[in-house]
Structures are given as C-alpha cells and as structure tokens.
Amino acid sequence: MASGITRPNHDFTLLLIADFVSSFGSSMSAVALTLYLYEITHDLMASALFTVVTLLPQLFVSPFLGALKLNAPFRLIFSLGELLCIVPIATLLATDNIVIICCVFFVYEAIFFVLECLRAEFLKAITDNSIIQKRQSMSRVVNDLVTVVGPLAGGAVLT
C-alpha cells in the first residue's frame, strides 16, 4: 500500500521538476530571442512582434487539442516532445534571418504548448480528486516562478 502512495508523489515531484526545467528553457529562449532580434534589427517593434509569435501557436493549436489522442506512456511522450523541441532551437543557432527565426520558433512554441497541455493531463492521471487542487496550486507556483526567473536568466546570459 505504501508504494501506491509513494509512486504518485514521486511522479508528481518528477512532473514539477521536469515542468520547471522545460518551462525555464522555453522562457529563457523566448527572452533571449527577443533580445537577439532587437540586436539584429535595432527595431523595438520587430522585437515586440516576436512576442506575438510566441502566443500564436496557442491560438492555432488549441482547437485541435481535444482530438489529440496519444496512446503512449506520458514519460515517452514528454521525452520525445522535449527532444523534438531541440530541433527548432538548434536550427535557430544557424540563422540570422528574422522570418526563419519567427517561423521556427512558432513551430517550437506549438510543440511546447502541446507538451504543456499534456502535463496537465498527466497531473490529472496521477492525482486523486481529493488533492488535485493542492497539486494544481503547487504546479502553478512552479510555473509562476519560471516566469520570474526565466526572463532574468535569459537577459543575464545575453549581457
């Protein structure tokens, strides 16, 4: 019986750690790319519009998430998804073209958004209804922490 209680706690801890690391990298990437675009263009509007690129995937991908059925373990899905996210980020290292940067980062953000939604599904799968709100709150704290620490770290890396 103890392992039945321990396993969901272990899975939840792993989820929080993985969510922090993944979201931290995504947050740093968005800030770093925004600053990089400003450095290339010296145009605040171009840099500000990049923020739109980071939000558009949520708008375009959201209607299709309800139909998404993945019949694989969450760990496999998350691992493959994070590896898939590396491809666009690595591609960004090879270009200075603003249009390509925006398009590639759009793809990255779409993949990342799907992973974020699947993390919420995983949380529901490993959590009893009696503690789901507590765990959602803890997960929210981790995500809020990332939104504070990630941009600061991204800016620090570039300066």
Side-chain angles (χ1 to χ4, degrees):
M1 182 87 177
S3 66
I5 293 170
T6 306
R7 188 71 197 165
N9 288 335
H10 176 74
D11 287 344
F12 179 63
T13 302
L14 287 176
L15 176 69
L16 289 179
I17 292 168
D19 193 20
F20 179 84
V21 170
S22 179
S23 297
F24 183 75
S26 179
S27 178
M28 275 187 60
S29 299
V31 169
L33 282 170
T34 302
L35 294 173
Y36 181 66
L37 286 175
Y38 178 72
E39 185 178 299
I40 291 172
T41 64
H42 298 292
D43 183 359
L44 284 174
M45 183 57 90
S47 300
L49 287 176
F50 184 71
T51 304
V52 173
V53 171
T54 65
L55 298 174
L56 282 178
Q58 295 176 24
L59 179 67
F60 292 122
V61 174
S62 291
F64 304 104
L65 284 176
L68 185 65
K69 301 285 186 237
L70 299 174
N71 294 324
F74 280 109
R75 286 183 188 199
L76 176 64
I77 293 168
F78 294 146
S79 299
L80 291 177
E82 294 294 341
L83 289 174
L84 202 57
C85 283
I86 291 172
V87 174
I89 292 298
T91 303
L92 293 172
L93 298 173
T95 185
D96 285 341
N97 184 304
I98 295 167
V99 173
I100 292 174
I101 290 172
C102 288
C103 290
V104 168
F105 201 70
F106 177 90
V107 170
Y108 167 80
E109 283 292 323
I111 295 168
F112 189 78
F113 179 66
V114 170
L115 288 175
E116 283 295 310
C117 293
L118 289 173
R119 281 188 190 98
E121 291 300 314
F122 181 62
L123 178 61
K124 287 193 302 188
I126 64 169
T127 305
D128 183 69
N129 285 340
S130 64
I131 59 170
I132 188 78
Q133 289 178 330
K134 178 181 176 185
R135 286 192 170 178
Q136 286 173 330
S137 294
M138 291 172 68
S139 180
R140 186 72 235 157
V141 167
V142 168
N143 284 310
D144 289 344
L145 182 62
V146 168
T147 60
V148 172
V149 176
L152 292 174
V157 166
L158 286 178
T159 55

